[in-house]
């Protein structure tokens, strides 16, 4: 007698899964979400990195040239100084933003001291062949365009420039001792407020210098000013309606110039 052949289900044939479409959709969503998170993280890091070593500010600092002030009876101080231009605006990213304040932070490494020079936001500078207010130049041309003219107006060659939304010196000082390679991850709030020509190592180094002096020990004084004048088309000396920095008195007050030996 013939035996009836038994039938078995093949295990190598995929079975129809009623949830297959739903599972596929979920997998796609998870993949897209994960990709979005990665892209967002990378974009955020790139954005923060661009605030350090900002190209336009770096170029402006490099292009200052020699702006040393000299006067008879005085000589340049031999003290080791680090001079940082601090420009505060309402929005570091907005084109045409307003200049709120301008200061120069001077750290004297030789003396272990630091001081602020306060500059009027509308102090006179030269743009092209025209005398204009610093605030006007800032709002029309941007922060980088202010570096050279302000260096010429004050007689100070800036080592660094920091453009920020608010006073960030205390926050900068808090970076002292931070590993520069970890700065992007540990100081995101500060980096979102600033743009600077400094890289991470330079920013941490300046922070250490400020912290060593103590933010509360930084002295402050207003830059000495004089009535600004210019030459008109007829060759006459006329007042511009602005105030200008007296670079010699500023250098003496700041200690950049000392009595000649």
């Amino acid at each position: 007698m013939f035996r009836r052949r038994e039938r078995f289900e093949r295990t190598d044939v995929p079975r129809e899964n009623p949830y297959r479409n739903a599972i596929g959709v979920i997998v796609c969503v998870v993949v897209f979400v994960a990709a979005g998170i990665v892209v967002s993280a990378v974009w955020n890091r790139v954005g923060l990195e661009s605030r350090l070593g900002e190209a336009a500010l770096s170029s402006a600092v490099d292009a200052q040239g020699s702006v040393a002030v000299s006067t008879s009876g005085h000589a340049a101080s031999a003290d080791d100084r680090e001079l940082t231009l601090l420009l505060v605006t309402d929005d570091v990213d907005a084109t045409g933003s307003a200049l709120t304040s301008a200061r120069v932070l001077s750290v004297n490494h030789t003396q272990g001291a630091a001081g602020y020079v306060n500059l009027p936001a509308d102090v006179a500078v030269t743009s092209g062949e025209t005398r204009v207010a610093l605030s006007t130049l800032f709002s029309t041309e941007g922060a980088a365009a202010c570096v050279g003219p302000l260096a010429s107006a004050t007689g100070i060659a800036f080592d660094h420039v920091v453009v920020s939304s608010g006073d960030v010196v205390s926050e900068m000082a808090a970076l002292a001792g931070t590993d520069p390679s970890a700065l992007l991850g540990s100081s995101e709030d500060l980096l979102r407020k600033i743009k600077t020509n400094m890289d991470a190592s330079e920013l941490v180094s300046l922070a250490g210098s400020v912290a060593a002096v103590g933010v509360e020990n930084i002295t402050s004084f207003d830059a000495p000013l004089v009535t600004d004048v210019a030459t008109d088309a007829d060759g006459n000396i006329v007042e511009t309606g602005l105030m200008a920095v007296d670079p010699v008195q500023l250098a003496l007050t700041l200690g950049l110039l000392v009595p000649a030996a």
Side-chain angles (χ1 to χ4, degrees):
M1 295 179 64
F2 295 100
R3 299 179 60 185
R4 180 176 295 179
R5 180 177 295 176
E6 297 184 31
R7 302 182 64 182
F8 298 93
E9 293 286 340
R10 292 183 59 180
T11 59
D12 60 339
V13 177
R15 298 182 180 181
E16 186 71 22
N17 189 330
Y19 303 107
R20 182 176 62 183
N21 291 340
I23 293 174
V25 171
I26 293 173
V27 170
C28 289
V29 170
V30 170
V31 169
F32 281 121
V33 169
I37 292 174
V38 172
V39 170
S40 177
V42 171
W43 184 262
N44 181 61
R45 184 178 181 86
V46 170
L48 292 178
E49 286 179 342
S50 68
R51 296 177 178 277
L52 298 174
E54 204 272 337
L57 293 177
S58 297
S59 297
V61 170
D62 293 340
Q64 291 175 100
S66 176
V67 293
V69 174
S70 61
T71 182
S72 59
H74 294 88
S77 170
D79 286 357
D80 178 19
R81 291 177 182 271
E82 192 170 5
L83 298 161
T84 303
L85 175 61
L86 305 173
L87 299 175
V88 178
T89 181
D90 49 356
D91 189 336
V92 295
D93 296 312
T95 301
S97 59
L99 179 65
T100 303
S101 71
R103 294 188 296 178
V104 179
L105 171 62
S106 172
V107 178
N108 188 324
H109 296 291
T110 303
Q111 303 294 333
Y116 292 121
V117 178
N118 302 313
L119 300 167
D122 58 354
V123 69
V125 295
T126 300
S127 177
E129 298 181 356
T130 305
R131 296 292 281 175
V132 298
L134 178 65
S135 56
T136 300
L137 184 60
F138 184 94
S139 62
T140 56
E141 301 294 335
C146 297
V147 177
L150 194 54
S152 297
T154 59
I156 295 175
F158 306 113
D159 297 301
H160 316 297
V161 179
V162 177
V163 185
S164 64
S165 54
D167 183 357
V168 295
V169 174
S170 294
E171 292 179 71
M172 287 169 52
L175 299 179
T178 301
D179 180 355
S181 64
L183 192 63
L184 294 179
S186 63
S187 306
E188 182 175 335
D189 288 345
L190 171 62
L191 295 181
R192 290 189 181 281
K193 299 177 184 178
I194 70 172
K195 286 185 178 180
T196 179
N197 70 301
M198 289 183 281
D199 60 22
S201 296
E202 290 171 323
L203 183 57
V204 171
S205 176
L206 178 60
S209 299
V210 174
V213 173
V215 175
E216 69 281 1
N217 296 321
I218 300 177
T219 58
S220 179
F221 65 91
D222 295 334
L225 302 175
V226 295
T227 299
D228 188 54
V229 295
T231 304
D232 65 14
D234 297 323
N236 301 311
I237 302 298
V238 296
E239 296 184 3
T240 65
L242 301 172
M243 298 300 291
V245 174
D246 183 332
V248 173
Q249 289 302 314
L250 175 59
L252 290 171
T253 304
L254 192 55
L256 297 176
L257 288 178
V258 295

